[in-house]
Every structure is written in C-alpha cells, then in structure tokens.
Amino acid sequence: MSDLRQRCRGQWERIISEILGPQWIESRKHQRCPCRPDDKPKYRFSDHHGSGSFFCHCSNGDRDGVQLVMCRLGLDFKAAAERIEQVIGAGPIPARRKPTRAERLQREVEHSGRSRYLESRGLEMAPGLRWHRSLAYYDEHQRVIGHYPAMCAPVLRDGAFETYHVTYLQGGQKLSGMEPRKILPSKSGSLAGASIPLYPPGPVLGVAEGIESAIAAKMLHGVPVWALINTALMKSWTPPAGTRSVRIYADHDHNYAGHAAAYGLAHRLVLTGFDVEVHFPPVPGTDWNDVLHARREVEAE
C-alpha cells in the first residue's frame, strides 16, 4: 500500500465512480455530505491536481480521495486502501498520461434544457447531449482559428468515456464555411464498439447512424435510440446490459452502405440471442430525420 495516494493521482474519477458511484464525481452538483447524509447539500468533488479532493460540510477542500472512500463507507485507512487497490492494482506507480483534449473538455461542457439548433431542425433535446458556449475550433495544422458554440455528444465504449463528437454552431445553425462536425481524438485511440448514448437504455433500444437521425427515430418510433456515428462503427457495437431487443434504424443510402452495416450488425446480434428488427426510410437517399420532416409536411397540409 506504499505510495497509495501517488499511485491514485489523476485516477480518482474512475476510482470514485467504481467504488462509490458516478454521482460522487459530478463536480458541478452539490450533494449531501458523504459523512453526514442528513445535512444540507454541501458536498462537491473538486479533484484538485488529481488528488480526489472534495469540499463538504466537514471539509474546506483539504481532504482527498482516500478520505472520501473512508468517510462515505465508514472504513479505516487499511480497509479503504484495499478497496482502492482492487480498482488500481497493487503495482508500481503508473506513468502519468497527459489528458486528452476531450477529457479536459469534460469539465467545461454543460447540460441544457433546450437548443436553438435542434429546435430549428424540429428535434427534441436528447438528455445525453452536452453543450459548450465557446469552444476552440482547430484547423488541420492545430491552430485555433475561432471560438464557437458547440453541441458536444459524449462517445462511450462499454460505459467508459472515450471522446466527444462535436458539432460547431453559429447563429443557431451548423457552422458554415468549415467542416462543422469533428470527432476529437479518443482516450484509447480506437472507437470500435463505441456509441453516443443519447437516451437512458431500456429492454428495447434503438440505434441509428447520426445524432439527428437517432433523435428523429426516437420521436417517430417511441423507443430510446443511440447514435453509432457511422456505418463502420455500427458493425462493432454491442448493446448495454439489460437490453434484449434492438431496433436498427439505418440510413437508406444509394450505395446500400447503410443496409450492409445494419444487416451485418443484426446478424451478429441475432447469433448472440438478441431480438432484432431492421428499419429503413422508404425513399432512397434519406435518413430518419428526412422521414420526420416529410411526415410533418403532410400533417401541415
């Protein structure tokens, strides 16, 4: 257990999330004191310099992650250290990894109840989306050429954060004159099997390619739908625990790329025991956002 705190430095978000639950690392959310749950909400996770530090009713920020585990679970240091080492292992101090841009961005993005951009597209707000008021836009030479509002969609794999899918905005619309959509470099270097969980999953879960198509499919079919980003990633996706039935809402591409990816995923999932349905828009060259707009035009006539 030597150098436990040093070995934990920079890993406290994962450690606390696995031992106590992810709600204890939400830095902007005040909660009840982990030591005195009957008190007023005074707790806030700060993780200053990667130490796992926190503020609460009985602390001014000088307590760290080890003490948080001790405090919340009522353990002494030895017992808390054993629980922590079950997560990080008992090996030597790992080399400090420089956080990715996406990981740094996690502390800057915000929740929002509405979006001018989504409303202009006739789409509802998906609870899994995050927003940034003024996000740096980098060109191909990694030079900052401007700051713009952005829709930031967390990309997860097996429940762990990988990166953000970013849509840059201007005046409530997609940024024009430059590529408005970017996927930031991922933590692991690979997005195989990753997805954007736009809605809480359930026993029946839908998937689509893009974010807007996924939201539209949810509005049309009444089941939660996740975005799988593109056809290549669709082939490697695996449903979360608790989901037994999958609805694939694929794009109707002229070149049948959407069909190939959808049926490839459906075939793999059926072989592993999932109930699967595959749906396509009726018109070639369209996605589910197009279907939603077409239905509204008919209803408006």
Side-chain angles (χ1 to χ4, degrees):
M1 296 181 191
S2 62
D3 300 315
L4 176 69
R5 287 181 166 88
Q6 182 63 25
R7 287 189 287 118
C8 291
R9 187 167 295 276
Q11 302 188 70
W12 280 110
E13 290 196 3
R14 177 171 70 93
I15 295 167
I16 297 302
S17 181
E18 292 192 24
I19 296 178
L20 303 181
Q23 70 273 20
W24 293 98
I25 62 172
E26 295 181 7
S27 59
R28 292 180 178 85
K29 181 179 179 181
H30 283 80
Q31 303 181 62
R32 297 192 181 280
C33 172
C35 311
R36 305 173 184 176
D38 294 332
D39 284 344
K40 296 180 180 179
K42 293 285 187 179
Y43 167 86
R44 181 170 61 84
F45 183 70
S46 57
D47 197 26
H48 186 60
H49 293 313
S51 66
S53 60
F54 62 99
F55 296 84
C56 72
H57 179 87
C58 52
S59 168
N60 61 3
D62 58 352
R63 307 185 76 183
D64 63 13
V66 176
Q67 291 165 310
L68 176 57
V69 174
M70 294 170 61
C71 186
R72 180 60 184 161
L73 299 183
L75 303 175
D76 60 18
F77 177 83
K78 181 179 179 180
E82 289 175 350
R83 290 290 299 273
I84 292 167
E85 288 194 336
Q86 290 175 4
V87 177
I88 67 170
I93 300 172
R96 292 288 303 275
R97 178 179 61 84
K98 184 179 179 180
T100 65
R101 183 183 169 212
E103 289 175 311
R104 296 194 301 271
L105 190 58
Q106 283 185 288
R107 294 191 175 276
E108 301 177 13
V109 296
E110 302 174 344
H111 295 263
S112 179
R114 59 178 299 181
S115 161
R116 278 199 301 159
Y117 170 66
L118 292 178
E119 289 173 0
S120 73
R121 306 282 290 169
L123 299 172
E124 68 182 29
M125 173 65 76
L129 294 174
R130 302 292 181 266
W131 304 86
H132 198 287
R133 297 176 185 273
S134 184
L135 183 61
Y137 187 104
Y138 291 81
D139 66 9
E140 64 273 17
H141 304 294
Q142 295 305 302
R143 297 174 302 196
V144 177
I145 60 174
H147 291 77
Y148 305 94
M151 179 175 73
C152 302
V155 180
L156 277 62
R157 179 170 55 190
D158 297 327
F161 175 81
E162 281 288 337
T163 187
Y164 282 107
H165 178 289
V166 176
T167 303
Y168 287 91
L169 307 171
Q170 191 172 41
Q173 302 295 322
K174 282 186 290 188
L175 181 64
S176 61
M178 295 179 285
E179 174 53 53
R181 293 191 176 100
K182 291 178 178 286
I183 298 179
L184 303 184
S186 67
K187 181 174 62 176
S188 66
S190 171
L191 291 181
S195 60
I196 299 173
L198 295 167
Y199 299 90
V204 179
L205 179 63
V207 292
E209 287 183 42
I211 294 171
E212 294 171 28
S213 185
I215 296 174
K218 185 267 183 185
M219 295 171 67
L220 288 164
H221 299 278
V223 299
V225 182
W226 289 7
L228 302 185
I229 306 174
N230 56 44
T231 55
L233 294 177
M234 178 177 283
K235 299 174 184 178
S236 59
W237 179 74
T238 299
T243 293
R244 299 309 310 163
S245 184
V246 176
R247 305 291 180 258
I248 303 173
Y249 301 108
D251 293 354
H252 193 152
D253 300 321
H254 287 293
N255 63 2
Y256 295 100
H259 297 70
Y263 284 120
L265 174 61
H267 176 66
R268 181 168 58 82
L269 294 183
V270 166
L271 292 180
T272 54
F274 289 92
D275 171 61
V276 182
E277 294 179 7
V278 181
H279 303 270
F280 298 97
V283 179
T286 63
D287 61 20
W288 291 98
N289 200 21
D290 298 316
V291 174
L292 181 63
H293 282 292
R295 177 173 295 185
R296 285 182 169 156
E297 289 177 357
V298 171
E299 292 173 350
E301 292 179 354

